[in-house]
Amino acid sequence: MIYDPQQFAVGASWIATAIGAALWLWSWLGEKDAIRKLRFLDCGVVLLFSSILLRIVAQERQMNIWDWAVVFIGPLFIAAALWRLARTAGAPPAGK
């Protein structure tokens, strides 16, 4: 068996997709606290879109219109989720 980094990356991206989908579902179905719900949702979005982008880059066929749409829209969702994660990260500032 020959070690192929591309196959490893694609396999890891499928695992990240499963974890991201689980976080996204948990945010909708299991979590009651609003801030934690939002953070689970954002973590799931980042994992889902980044793993999908990795699989698009690693594919051997030509990109179609849906692939191009994800390439342009995906980083926007990732950036928005990371920004929101940064904004909800710590304890509230003193005096508020």
Side-chain angles (χ1 to χ4, degrees):
M1 180 176 197
I2 298 173
Y3 175 72
D4 185 16
Q6 182 181 1
Q7 284 182 335
F8 177 76
V10 170
S13 77
W14 279 110
I15 293 169
T17 299
I19 293 170
L23 287 171
W24 188 81
L25 283 173
W26 180 254
S27 75
W28 281 100
L29 304 174
E31 188 58 49
K32 302 300 180 210
D33 180 42
I35 296 297
R36 289 185 64 181
K37 184 178 201 168
L38 189 68
R39 291 184 60 80
F40 279 127
L41 179 69
D42 288 339
C43 289
V45 165
V46 169
L47 281 171
L48 281 171
F49 275 102
S50 61
S51 62
I52 290 169
L53 284 172
L54 186 134
R55 284 195 304 275
I56 288 173
V57 169
Q59 71 186 354
E60 294 177 2
R61 63 175 175 83
Q62 275 192 321
M63 292 174 58
N64 60 24
I65 189 72
W66 299 111
D67 294 339
W68 283 108
V70 172
V71 165
F72 287 113
I73 300 294
L76 295 175
F77 279 98
I78 292 170
L82 289 174
W83 178 80
R84 201 161 55 177
L85 279 167
R87 299 283 295 173
T88 60
K96 287 194 176 185

